Amino acid sequence: MPELETVIGLEVHAQMSTKTKMFCNCDNDAFGKKPNTTVCPICMGHPGTLPVPNGEAINKAIKTSLAIKGTINEDNHFDRKHYFYPDLPPGFQISQYDFPLSSGGSVDYTIRDASGQVIKEGVCGITRLHMENDAGKLTHRGAMTLCDYNRAGTPLMEIVTEPDLRSSDEAVAFAQELRRILIAMDASDADMFKGMMRFDASISLREKGTEKLNPRSEIKNLNSFKALEKALKYEEGRLRKEWDKDGGPLPNDITVGWLDDEEKTKVLRDKETADDYRYFPEPDIPPLKFTKKDIEDIRKELPPLPQERKQEYMELGLDEAQSVQLIDQPELQKIFDAVYEKTKDAKRTSGLILTQLVGFLRAEEKEAPDAGDMVQLVEKIEDGTISANAGKDVLEKMVKTGKSASEIIEAEGMQQISDDGAIEELVQKAIDANPEAIESYKNGKEAALGAIVGWVMKESKGQANPAKVNEILKKKLK
Ligand code: ZN
Ligand code: MN
């Protein structure tokens, strides 16, 4: 048997984070909204309506293209890609065919083992990035199919790679790095749970040392890294068995679906070709033109790449895993950045965010509070309203209830007692109640002081400011 090599290329669809949809003014944030409430005649494809390209989406797609080292094409056209399906009311998708937004580029990726050790560094070439709009969503219930068009018209970037990946591990490591780039460019929230990033993976085999690409199997619509990994592993094994049986590669391209529950692929059909879609220029949208200056102006505003951000976090003193956690989880990163901005103390910030907050989020399975709420909590600790200890309780309650720090402190009466008069009163009470401790302190037993401070803390239900209690107690005993 000849030694075989696996050849993988990906097509990635990323939903863009824009205020409105790709060609109309509908709200682009349809998640959790009532079906068919964020729609209009344009995204429903009514005849006679005119699509208008979304400038914010174009700007973010250009940033992404530049971040993956693509070349922006100065001439850009939109095309109609035709197919009939109930999730696509106009009967065509507005996409880009022979004049895409950008061509070429590459993404560097790193494969690590569970302990974070680098196993392999690789580069995956990018073929193109183009813009298009998404279809609606179908839900099948028995013999009935429900159509929700809220997602119809959502801006998408489709990113196509070269067949440069040689294993499922490489494909996943590449896809994860691409996701970080989308997030860093603020081009997509790339929330896998909400299906904002989806993969079609093409896989074929060839004899090692040969260059020719054999017919491929295209696995459609994988929407998690786990599914991408499992589907590629499964299909690779299946193609190897077929090769053994038939003595060679697939006779022609095929399209397969991934059955998540059964953990196997299923052949759907021979793969469709461009001819099947009858692409033609979208007559309602004039070609877009970008000058070199337009592109350079956008390049100047490019945010730092995820690997640069990771480096910055490591320079602040975070370890590799913590830094990766931040560039992988945009909501945590926003909170971390805002709190660090306030405290300028990376160790304290990571303790609060990556240990306490992440712990509570895991335990409660809730969403993270707003960055603003977290900053407010830190302010309450810094200005002495609550102790750092009480801060932990407040944070837990913030996660559980979704309320702000000040609401919780107010409602639960958790304010720290820092008022001199109130503390003096408490300290006097402690002295009166603990004559033996006072006696032994006066006889030189320093540790006895701790017992008295402890009594005050207990009496005040942990709300007395311990530093103040110490200070006033010492003064009184002199
Ligand atoms: Zn609309
Ligand atoms: Mn597409």
Side-chain angles (χ1 to χ4, degrees), residues 11-13 81 93 95 130 132-133 156-158 200 279:
E11 271 180 35
V12 184
H13 284 93
K81 178 182 180 179
Q93 178 186 34
S95 181
H130 70 248
E132 57 189 28
N133 55 359
L156 292 179
M157 287 181 291
E158 178 177 326
D200 300 326
Y279 279 99

Side-chain angles (χ1 to χ4, degrees), residues 21 24-26 38-40 42-43:
K21 291 186 182 180
C24 63
N25 263 328
C26 288
T38 60
V39 293
C40 74
I42 296 174
C43 52

